[in-house]
Every structure is written in C-alpha cells, then in structure tokens.
Amino acid sequence: MYKLSDSEWQVLETLWQAEGLLLGEIVDSLYTKTKWSRNTVHTYLTRMEKKGLVKIDRHSDPHRYLRAVTRDDCSKKERDILLNKVYGGSVGDLVAAFLKESKITAEEKEKLNRLLDDMEV
C-alpha cells in the first residue's frame, strides 16, 4: 500500500463507517465537507478501485462501494511514513516530540507507563 492522499482518506472515512454504500450515499456523506460533485466522487472511487483501496460490487444494481483496506492498515502505513521520514525510524524521538509539544492527562500518562512496562525491549 502507498501513502493515501487527503481526498482518499476522506472517501475511505465514509466507507469505514458503513459497508456497501451506494454512490449517492457517499456523495451525500462527503458533500458537507468537500462540496464534491457526483462525478468527482465517482472518479475518486474508480481510481481508488484500481489502486486496491475500494471494491465495487458491479453485481448489484445500482453498484455498491466497499472498502478494500482497513483503517488500522492505513493508519499503520501513515505512522510508518511519518516515523521514517521525520524521525529516522526512532520511535523514542517521535514519542518525545509529541510529549514535549502536547499535554497529556494523568490517565494517559498511566496508560503510557503501562504500555512501556509491558513492552519487551
């Protein structure tokens, strides 16, 4: 899998919320955020099918559109890209940067400590 564009993420977000949507349902779901026309959404879907991101059930009439990748797989790929591109593969540097720039709650800190304690290094 390759890096997803912002537009592909938006389409997949809709497909991750419900399985087997009609084109009109996808257009309606995306319209408030994107103002994309029906033709634009259809173009994205057919391109994404060629990339293996979307499945089109052509046996149903009208066609149904389904996700072909999971949110977890896409999120992992994006994390890997960020980790390697920005932090040279160093998980410690990535976590340190986030912790320096963001406040975490006591509950989040406790959860993070448990994760670190449970890790086999």
Side-chain angles (χ1 to χ4, degrees):
M1 186 188 332
Y2 69 99
K3 184 175 180 4
L4 297 175
S5 71
D6 290 343
S7 298
E8 290 167 336
W9 265 103
Q10 290 183 38
V11 172
L12 284 171
E13 285 286 354
T14 298
L15 294 175
W16 286 327
Q17 291 173 19
E19 188 68 22
L21 296 174
L22 302 174
L23 178 58
E25 293 170 325
I26 299 168
V27 172
D28 290 346
S29 176
L30 290 168
Y31 189 78
T32 55
K33 291 181 265 181
T34 65
K35 305 295 188 239
W36 291 340
S37 71
R38 185 177 183 89
N39 287 341
T40 299
V41 174
H42 185 261
T43 298
Y44 276 120
L45 289 164
T46 54
R47 287 180 184 167
M48 291 171 71
E49 180 192 32
K50 290 176 183 161
K51 295 177 180 180
L53 301 171
V54 169
K55 295 178 195 171
I56 302 174
D57 180 358
R58 291 184 169 83
H59 298 294
S60 70
D61 188 29
H63 297 160
R64 293 206 169 265
Y65 298 84
L66 307 101
R67 61 189 174 260
V69 291
T70 66
R71 185 177 228 300
D72 287 344
D73 287 343
C74 293
S75 295
K76 181 183 182 330
K77 181 64 177 173
E78 290 293 317
R79 284 191 306 271
D80 289 346
I81 290 168
L82 174 68
L83 180 65
N84 290 306
K85 180 179 179 180
V86 179
Y87 297 98
S90 171
V91 174
D93 289 348
L94 171 87
V95 172
F98 277 106
L99 292 175
K100 278 190 232 175
E101 297 169 6
S102 305
K103 293 194 183 273
I104 62 172
T105 65
E107 182 180 300
E108 290 170 323
K109 181 180 178 190
E110 185 179 316
K111 184 178 178 181
L112 183 57
N113 282 330
R114 279 195 309 271
L115 282 170
L116 291 170
D117 289 342
D118 291 344
M119 288 180 66
E120 291 184 27
V121 181

